[in-house]
Amino acid sequence: MESNTGKVYNLVSLYDRFQGVHDSRKKRGKRYALATILMGIFLAKLCGEDKPSGIAEWVKLREQWITRMLGLKREHMPHHNTYRRVLADVIAEAEFEELAREHFKHSGETGYQVVISMDGKMVRGTIDTEARDGLYLLAAYLPGEGVTLAQVAIENNQNEISAAPQLLACINLGNKVVIGDALHTQRQISIQIGAANGNFLWVVKGNQPQLLQDLHDWFDTTIPLLPGMGCPPRDFRSATTTSKGHGRIEVRTLTTSSQLNDFLDWPFLQQVFKLERFVTIQKTRQTRHEIIYGITSLSAEQASPGQLLKMLRSYWGIENGLHYRRDVTLHEDQTRFTKDSAAHIMSIINNIVLALISKAGYSFVPCARRYFAANIEDAFKLLI
């Protein structure tokens, strides 16, 4: 299959994968093949519909075309309750997550030090304040490609820290740089990544108080030395970037050091860093100053201060490229489900749709969906 960027990517078609998804319905109750139902959902998603009622109506209005394209024997299409029932009770979440991982498993294999962003998200459409907290999902995302490599649900007795090893175990971490927020700055997670020939880039905050204090003291050159104590010349290296947009100017300076590797005794540690940010609001001239400390298993030879700056910036692609698009563009938070299983399956569908759109060369999802709505055959080709 060739995208409109000219790049060729060879994948087993999604429709072929749909044929292998286990259908838990009894044979006599199967009015519609599961692969047909999934094709209808994906086509409608690609063309702009997000909720089961809208998906069902979209498919029904095109039932003759879909029947012809899929070679079906009957034209009648499912009611929206059928879609909800299939999402909630028919498809196993673990099996569908495996389908998504298998389909995009070769993503991120080209390039050097490919960034994986790791972050969690609450599916707000499942929140019931009287009965439950809602479904919470932890995802590993390639911001450079727009692909979700893996995703796991966080159970009631878990949190992101305990779920992270399960998520990372699903991924080939070789030649990858895993970046997460300060919550994931944990020794065991660092060991797991390093043992799998991957690298980590962590921000250090209050959940690691001694580590944070050590980094602060090392980079604060104004702290006087105790009598009789000396300090070797520090190996600080720095890089600065300036960006302008959204009515503000932001200056970032990142300074690295490799001299604390043995002192800190953190597994696979190669560098520590200090990131200083100055933000100026152009209209009011108000300024904001922030200092962030961090650690990484990337050596000075593997990653310069400028490269670390770029990696940290790319981490936020999971917020803009995945979470925001699912919440706002694909209306995930506005789609109400009474069962977490249905919301989980829909989140996987959303991940796949966003990845397909990215693979097709589109950077703006609404533009892609308008195109596919006017050119349904091209949406069909993405799946076939």
Side-chain angles (χ1 to χ4, degrees), residues 32-51:
Y32 307 98
L34 182 56
T36 302
I37 295 173
L38 288 171
M39 279 294 288
I41 294 173
F42 274 90
L43 283 170
K45 276 278 184 182
L46 284 167
C47 295
E49 293 296 335
D50 294 311
K51 299 182 179 181

Side-chain angles (χ1 to χ4, degrees), residues 45 50-51 97 119-126 135-141 146-153 317-335 343-355 365-366 369:
K45 276 278 184 182
D50 294 311
K51 299 182 179 181
E97 288 283 10
D119 194 26
K121 174 190 178 299
M122 174 67 72
V123 182
R124 299 189 182 279
T126 62
L135 176 67
Y136 198 94
L137 300 169
L138 181 65
Y141 177 75
V147 172
T148 300
L149 288 177
Q151 177 180 261
V152 296
I318 194 170
E319 292 290 346
N320 302 325
L322 183 64
H323 294 168
Y324 179 85
R325 286 172 171 172
R326 276 169 46 180
D327 290 346
V328 179
T329 307
L330 302 185
H331 303 99
E332 186 170 281
D333 280 355
Q334 297 178 30
T335 305
H344 192 164
I345 296 297
M346 186 62 85
S347 76
I348 302 169
I349 291 171
N350 287 339
N351 288 340
I352 295 174
V353 166
L354 290 173
V365 175
R369 299 178 92 192

Side-chain angles (χ1 to χ4, degrees), residues 1 5 18 61 63 70 86 94 109 123 125 129 145 157 180 208-209 217 279 284-285 296 324 345 356 358-359:
M1 185 179 293
T5 61
F18 294 160
L61 290 172
E63 58 186 15
L70 294 181
V86 166
E109 291 188 349
V123 182
T129 55
E145 298 188 29
N157 59 344
Q208 295 287 346
D217 292 346
V279 180
T284 63
R285 307 307 299 175
T296 180
Y324 179 85
I345 296 297
L356 289 173
S358 179
K359 289 284 189 182

Side-chain angles (χ1 to χ4, degrees), residues 18-27 29-38 41 78-97 99 337 339-346 348-349:
F18 294 160
Q19 306 283 356
V21 177
H22 175 69
D23 191 335
S24 65
R25 295 171 295 174
K26 294 181 180 179
K27 187 172 182 180
K30 296 180 182 179
R31 294 186 62 190
Y32 307 98
L34 182 56
T36 302
I37 295 173
L38 288 171
I41 294 173
H79 187 268
H80 75 84
N81 284 335
T82 301
Y83 289 103
R84 286 188 175 273
R85 186 168 61 253
V86 166
L87 292 173
D89 302 322
V90 174
I91 306 172
E93 301 100 300
E95 182 183 3
F96 210 55
E97 288 283 10
L99 178 150
F337 287 107
K339 292 188 176 182
D340 286 354
S341 55
H344 192 164
I345 296 297
M346 186 62 85
I348 302 169
I349 291 171

